[in-house]
Amino acid sequence: MGEKRKPRFLENRLGIMGNIVPWVLMIRDNPERVAFVLHRLTGLLLIIYLPVHIFVTSMTVNPQKWEDFLRLEENPLAQFFLWILFGSIVFHGLNGIRLLLVEGLGKGIGKPEPPEPPYKPTSLSSAQRKWLYAVFAIWLIVWIVGGIILFREFGWV
Amino acid sequence: MGINANGRPATRVVKIRVRRYDPETGRRWWQEYRVEAKKGTTVLDALLKIKAEQDHTLAMRYSCRMGACGSCGMLINKMPRLACETQLLELGTDTVTIEPLPNFPVLRDLITDFGDFFKKHRDIMPYIVRESKKENEEPYREYYMPPDELNKIIRYSYCIMCGLCYAACPVVAIDKKFLGPQALGQAYRWVTDVRDEGLRLRLEKVDDKHGVWRCHFAGSCSAACPKGVDPAQGIQLLRSKLVALTAGARRDKKPTHVATPTTVRYVDVGDAPKPTVEDKSLLVKHLEETAQELEQDLPYVAQALRDYLRTITSS
């Protein structure tokens, strides 16, 4: 009789890094996953920004304090942060509309029909995929144009 | 090395990197093998070849080798796939990395533990639930349903429980209690089934923060599914059904075109086919002989045969 073995099983959950780091898991033909990660990250940023935003708007009570704050916002770094924030709001809003249609009302994902080889998933080739590309396109255009307007006064563009 | 008709070499040596794990020492390491691959060599073929010729300690799970059993799910080149349905040369890389499926506990090398996964599947009650207790406990006949109703659920019935969707899901990766795309997809399949009356019972499991509301439509489950089951679609449809129910859209259940053992048959599914042997005398003779043979060893079977004989001769 040998020594009793105690096997240890490995908890192999990918965790948050599996979502964010793209080379941990590479799913083919899946821009929805990119939208999922972006939606989470922008949502996180917005939820952090919301209390800050309420605090900032409360500054208008004191005109002197408000003027000081506006001077702070002339800092290029603050402007860059505002630009990131602007992009987050646009993406989160646009993708949110798509998600409401898809998740809440079950639109744009096709009908559950019998699958035919080569077994393409209906939900990933239906209308919601087009909406997703539209979200990406509108977001990038609005974000870049907004950036041009924002950074023009710094002479960056 | 032979040459194909198109001038390319018929075989190619492919480097295979396997992520190995030893549960006794807890050691985890990458090991490299070289395997000669030709057109049609699957990853599972290569692994079995390695096990037979190079390293017998390599452990993997497989059964049918034809994409029907769902045992050999692995992370091949960072994408969850069935090893038996993935061809080495079609991957198009000189080095092929093979890892155990993520989000499942690893038992050894490429073998993962599906206990939790199957438990979640059992949780949503993957069988027909009827309101009548008698029908649930003493079913004696099959249920009938029309073909167009079957077409609505057959996509989800193709699930082989290989766990690829569960490995691909970004929410399963961060939430241990999340039911996962497989169980939720199956929940939709049973809720939509016209023969089923267990909607309320299943909603108790599904209408939960670790249930249907945790899905955020990353769509990875459907992209990874080897059978075209499309769990992402099922989950969204299940959720929109829940939204409609919660919003008070309590449409009265349409009379389902389904015949149960205790109700009238609405659907004409036709009668049983006629016996192919027209001449009964041959069958009768054969049955009598068999019954006589079995009289000594298996008297009950012989008795059953005689009973059957009596029914066919009397009709």
Side-chain angles (χ1 to χ4, degrees), chain A residues 49-144:
Chain A
Y49 176 69
L50 202 66
V52 179
H53 179 64
I54 291 167
F55 174 69
V56 166
T57 44
S58 75
M59 281 180 183
T60 48
V61 179
N62 185 341
Q64 184 55 42
K65 217 174 168 186
W66 178 242
E67 286 298 317
D68 288 348
F69 176 74
L70 283 186
R71 214 162 294 126
L72 185 78
E73 278 209 336
E74 283 166 12
N75 181 356
L77 206 71
Q79 291 291 329
F80 183 73
F81 174 71
L82 273 185
W83 181 60
I84 297 283
L85 201 66
F86 171 64
S88 300
I89 292 165
V90 173
F91 179 80
H92 203 85
L94 286 173
N95 194 41
I97 296 170
R98 168 183 156 265
L99 286 180
L100 279 177
L101 287 170
V102 171
E103 299 190 340
L105 305 174
K107 302 286 177 204
I109 46 171
K111 283 184 183 141
E113 282 154 354
E116 303 266 339
Y119 296 147
K120 289 272 176 205
T122 323
S123 67
L124 301 188
S125 53
S126 300
Q128 69 75 25
R129 180 62 71 85
K130 286 175 196 138
W131 302 344
L132 180 62
Y133 288 144
V135 164
F136 278 136
I138 297 170
W139 168 53
L140 285 175
I141 291 167
V142 171
W143 197 22
I144 289 165

Side-chain angles (χ1 to χ4, degrees), chain A residues 8 10 13 30 33 122-123, chain B residues 21 106 155 168 172 220 230:
Chain A
R8 277 175 293 172
L10 184 75
R13 212 162 279 275
N30 193 11
R33 196 187 178 98
T122 323
S123 67
Chain B
Y21 175 71
V106 183
R155 163 176 291 249
V172 175
S220 298
D230 208 348

Side-chain angles (χ1 to χ4, degrees), chain B residues 176-190:
Chain B
K176 203 176 174 178
K177 287 185 190 162
F178 178 48
L179 281 174
Q182 193 271 341
L184 288 174
Q186 290 307 301
Y188 176 71
R189 177 246 177 278
W190 290 103

Side-chain angles (χ1 to χ4, degrees), chain B residues 38-80:
Chain B
K38 57 185 179 190
K39 193 182 172 197
T41 304
T42 63
V43 173
L44 184 64
D45 289 341
L47 286 172
L48 287 171
K49 210 172 164 186
I50 292 168
K51 194 174 170 70
E53 294 168 5
Q54 298 178 32
D55 183 357
H56 65 273
T57 62
L58 182 67
M60 81 290 265
R61 177 170 52 209
Y62 71 97
S63 182
C64 72
R65 310 179 193 208
M66 46 183 267
C69 73
S71 302
C72 62
M74 291 166 197
L75 198 64
I76 299 164
N77 277 359
K78 304 290 176 190
M79 167 97 186

Side-chain angles (χ1 to χ4, degrees), chain B residues 230-290:
Chain B
D230 208 348
Q233 184 191 49
I235 300 171
Q236 307 328 310
L237 292 174
L238 179 62
R239 176 153 45 193
S240 51
K241 196 172 189 138
L242 254 169
V243 168
L245 275 173
T246 316
R250 275 185 57 193
R251 278 166 295 176
D252 279 313
K253 218 173 163 186
K254 270 185 275 175
T256 49
H257 291 286
V258 54
T260 70
T262 49
T263 55
V264 194
R265 236 164 87 171
Y266 300 123
V267 192
D268 187 17
V269 289
D271 296 318
K274 286 203 173 91
T276 44
V277 184
E278 287 288 332
D279 186 9
K280 270 189 198 163
S281 61
L282 268 174
L283 181 64
V284 170
K285 195 181 157 212
H286 175 69
L287 284 176
E288 272 170 352
E289 279 172 12
T290 318

Side-chain angles (χ1 to χ4, degrees), chain B residues 186-221:
Chain B
Q186 290 307 301
Y188 176 71
R189 177 246 177 278
W190 290 103
V191 161
T192 321
D193 195 315
V194 284
R195 301 165 294 178
D196 185 82
E197 291 170 348
L199 175 70
R200 294 280 154 201
L201 284 171
R202 279 196 196 88
L203 289 192
E204 279 173 24
K205 307 273 184 188
V206 167
D207 186 8
D208 184 76
K209 68 174 177 178
H210 297 295
V212 76
W213 306 109
R214 201 77 171 86
C215 166
H216 302 299
F217 195 59
S220 298
C221 46

